[in-house]
Amino acid sequence: MNKRVESALNDQINKEAVSSQYYLAMASWAECNGLNGTAKFMYTHSDEERFHMLKLIKFVNERGGEAIIGSIEKAPTSFKDLESVFEKLLAHEIKVTESINNIVDVCLQEKDYTTHNFIQWYVSEQLEEEALARTILDKIKLIGGDKGGLYLFDRDLENASIDFSGGSSNEGQN
Ligand code: FEO
């Protein structure tokens, strides 16, 4: 496997691991703060990031490279409020999108069209994830400080079936 591509993919493996832990921390915080719908959403999202990581690990190893399972920083343990949680999620996903775009760039420079084809799944996934995060954040901003609204928002999130797999998504926000 091309070494520059391998290195970029290993970097991404680490980023997906960071994402998974980050959302796990958000899930745990939400659960401790009575936001069960948000907790469910974040636990599912965390699992999905682990899946993104595993998909990369398998691809690198199957193509004759070597996936590196590196260390990651401790995730934060507390968050200001719900809006701040989803703001951080969106900001994080925007950074992940930049990283995926960088891989596309490296693939083209190195003429690695197989990896370029593989990484397109992640390009679509990022589009979906950013859109979902923006939709949810818009709803939270509309609700503002209304506690009743936040309660209903969280309940809707608990009953929603969120599809993180790049397919159609039901944000469950009515
Ligand atoms: Fe693995 Fe949220 O991107």
Side-chain angles (χ1 to χ4, degrees):
M1 180 172 221
N2 177 284
K3 286 292 158 197
R4 268 190 81 207
V5 172
E6 183 178 351
S7 168
L9 292 177
N10 268 317
D11 193 45
Q12 192 61 34
I13 286 168
N14 191 270
K15 284 188 166 75
E16 301 291 350
V18 168
S19 302
S20 182
Q21 288 297 95
Y22 198 22
Y23 301 151
L24 193 57
M26 289 176 177
S28 181
W29 173 84
E31 194 164 60
C32 290
N33 284 277
L35 297 161
N36 292 344
T38 305
K40 184 182 161 200
F41 175 90
M42 291 298 177
Y43 278 128
T44 306
H45 204 158
S46 173
D47 283 348
E48 195 59 32
E49 298 300 350
R50 182 176 153 77
F51 168 72
H52 294 173
M53 177 186 70
L54 289 173
K55 193 174 163 83
L56 281 159
I57 290 170
K58 291 190 172 151
F59 179 79
V60 169
N61 290 340
E62 278 165 12
R63 293 216 50 227
E66 192 181 344
I68 310 288
I69 313 303
S71 57
I72 55 172
E73 276 182 29
K74 182 175 174 286
T77 49
S78 69
F79 300 89
K80 191 170 142 240
D81 53 22
L82 203 55
E83 184 171 338
S84 146
V85 164
F86 280 97
E87 261 170 3
K88 284 180 191 303
L89 184 145
L90 176 59
H92 187 76
E93 287 304 327
I94 289 170
K95 277 203 290 184
V96 172
T97 300
E98 282 170 13
S99 174
I100 295 292
N101 288 344
N102 177 59
I103 296 174
V104 172
D105 223 30
V106 173
C107 287
L108 290 174
Q109 284 170 26
E110 299 298 324
K111 300 192 189 321
D112 181 346
Y113 301 115
T114 308
T115 305
H116 182 270
N117 185 48
F118 166 79
I119 213 72
Q120 292 310 307
W121 182 86
Y122 288 82
V123 172
S124 309
E125 181 72 8
Q126 284 312 117
L127 207 66
E128 291 277 335
E129 289 200 4
E130 275 193 38
L132 180 60
R134 281 196 179 89
T135 304
I136 292 177
L137 198 51
D138 284 347
K139 298 274 179 196
I140 294 174
K141 284 187 170 150
L142 266 178
I143 293 165
D146 175 19
K147 284 203 162 59
L150 285 172
Y151 171 79
L152 291 175
F153 164 85
D154 188 69
R155 198 195 58 186
D156 283 352
L157 215 46
E158 190 164 17
N159 296 328
S161 65
I162 310 286
D163 182 2
F164 286 106
S165 61
S168 61
S169 57
N170 163 23
E171 293 88 10
Q173 304 302 297
N174 296 332

